[in-house]
Amino acid sequence: MKALDTLPLRFDGRTIRILDQTRLPDAEVWLDGTDPDMMVSHIQHLRVRGAPLIGVAAAMTLAVFAHRGARASAVRAAGLRLRAARPTAVNLMAAIDRLLSPTLPRYDADALVAEAERIVAEDIACCDAMGEHGAALIARGEGILTHCNTGGLATVGIGTALGVMRRAHEAGKGIHVYVDETRPLLQGARLTTWELARLGIPHTLLTDGMAASLMREGRVQRVLVGADRIARNGDAANKVGTYGLAIVARHHGVPFHVVAPWSTVDLACADGAHIPIEHRGADEVRGAVGGFGAVRWAPEDTPVYNPAFDVTPAALITSLVLDRGVIPPDGLV
Ligand code: MRU
């Protein structure tokens, strides 16, 4: 397996390391993710996160496991555990399925490694293509609102929605990015702000509930978000809060784009009602949890509803910005 050195993931020929995203922005801590069960835990705890990245990270771990001499049955079992680590981002299942298929009917560790390398290369190339297609949509001086983290931390390339903003910024379009904090795990407040600051892109942090009044003030010309799974009819699952943002954008006549690589499209899934939505622990909502520690502000036993994702209906999406080009949401098939 070729060495890799990206913002969230590194491989030096022996060891896979992941940047612990629960510790950002205050600490840059690298953790070993070489063992498949370690990687399952990193994915479940969101130390490594973002739809494209969890597919790439799981594929690399499985390929390295195979290359180190694991038996076919062990590789298959580890692949199935990785595949089930989180349910919503189809990139994870798609990547593992690509690796497990060469293990049948004859196990070939080299084939797994080659497939994982292809997945890495495709992710980087898809990000570049989305960046190019998306940046072409953006006019000079736009205020762009985004949700969650869709940047270099969520992929091994420049990112999806944030990659588009990066290319628009580099093209001198003078954009300003408004960042939803993204409760409950604060991927916007902790990760997107960190990336935007590193890239020198002007930005302002908002609580999730501020988007509507910002739009009414006329400060947002476009919304760009990523996706964890896009169904055949164009319905798109993304970090919880995205659906509300799409409704608010429609009310204010603001274009709403979903930026994603083809690995996020699930043509086998008819519509958003069939996308499995991950539900997470109550403590994430009763307070704040993460690598920074935990704090609780709600009563200890308050009942909690905590879906990690919601589904934006295709009817609220202006266009899908894919690596293959910009298409209407009902244009997948
Ligand atoms: O729970 P997370 O942080 O993995 O959720 C990530 C998102 O919802 C992103 O918007 C999505 O994966 C697209 S990232 C390029």
Side-chain angles (χ1 to χ4, degrees):
M1 178 104 194
K2 285 185 201 133
L4 186 72
D5 187 0
T6 69
L7 189 60
L9 188 67
R10 292 181 183 159
F11 179 60
D12 60 8
R14 284 181 57 81
T15 307
I16 296 173
R17 293 195 184 281
I18 60 120
L19 178 60
D20 182 353
Q21 299 195 28
T22 67
R23 302 292 303 275
L24 289 173
D26 291 331
E28 293 179 31
V29 177
W30 287 86
L31 303 174
D32 192 335
T34 317
D35 172 73
D37 289 317
M38 270 180 195
M39 187 57 86
V40 168
S41 166
H42 292 328
I43 291 172
Q44 289 176 338
H45 289 93
L46 274 63
R47 297 183 198 111
V48 53
R49 50 146 297 281
L53 182 63
I54 61 176
V56 170
M60 285 181 58
T61 299
L62 194 60
V64 170
F65 186 53
H67 190 65
R68 287 183 165 190
R71 297 226 310 258
S73 57
V75 170
R76 189 159 183 79
L80 295 177
R81 290 196 299 280
L82 283 159
R83 194 183 189 283
R86 291 185 79 188
T88 304
V90 74
N91 312 61
L92 176 62
M93 294 96 200
I96 293 297
D97 290 348
R98 281 175 64 172
L99 259 70
L100 288 183
S101 59
T103 67
L104 296 168
R106 197 175 58 78
Y107 176 63
D108 179 355
D110 290 340
L112 267 81
V113 170
E115 195 62 32
E117 285 175 347
R118 270 192 290 276
I119 289 169
V120 169
E122 283 171 19
D123 187 53
I124 294 169
C126 283
C127 287
D128 288 336
M130 288 180 277
E132 195 177 318
H133 299 313
L137 299 170
I138 294 168
R140 189 163 296 279
E142 284 192 359
I144 300 174
L145 181 58
T146 192
H147 193 69
C148 198
N149 172 268
T150 60
L153 285 171
T155 65
V156 283
I158 62 167
T160 61
L162 204 148
V164 169
M165 296 173 230
R166 176 174 173 169
R167 289 294 186 243
H169 169 75
E170 289 166 353
K173 296 202 176 191
I175 61 168
H176 189 98
V177 180
Y178 293 99
V179 183
D180 267 1
E181 64 177 353
T182 319
R183 274 288 290 157
L185 293 177
L186 303 171
Q187 290 91 332
R190 295 186 303 101
L191 309 177
T192 300
T193 52
W194 182 79
E195 281 200 50
L196 290 168
R198 282 168 63 104
L199 294 167
I201 302 177
H203 60 281
T204 304
L205 177 63
L206 318 167
T207 68
D208 296 352
M210 290 171 184
S213 53
L214 194 77
M215 285 189 201
R216 193 174 55 194
E217 289 168 15
R219 291 160 72 181
V220 179
Q221 280 67 51
R222 202 172 296 280
V223 178
L224 293 175
V225 296
D228 288 78
R229 190 183 301 227
I230 303 174
R232 193 167 65 232
N233 73 340
D235 292 350
N238 190 50
K239 179 54 55 192
V240 68
T242 304
Y243 174 34
L245 200 52
I247 293 170
V248 169
R250 175 59 55 93
H251 181 78
H252 292 92
V254 172
F256 182 96
H257 308 272
V258 173
V259 187
W262 191 256
S263 55
T264 302
V265 173
D266 184 2
L267 292 180
C269 184
D271 56 41
H274 292 89
I275 298 177
I277 300 294
E278 175 185 10
H279 284 254
R280 297 186 58 87
D283 288 345
E284 292 179 356
V285 181
R286 290 187 188 129
V289 296
F292 46 81
V295 54
R296 180 173 55 75
W297 49 68
E300 212 166 14
D301 50 359
T302 300
V304 163
Y305 171 63
N306 186 19
F309 303 95
D310 58 23
V311 175
T312 300
L316 293 178
I317 298 172
T318 308
S319 66
L320 301 175
V321 179
L322 306 174
D323 48 295
R324 301 177 175 196
V326 181
I327 64 166
D330 60 357
L332 285 169
V333 285

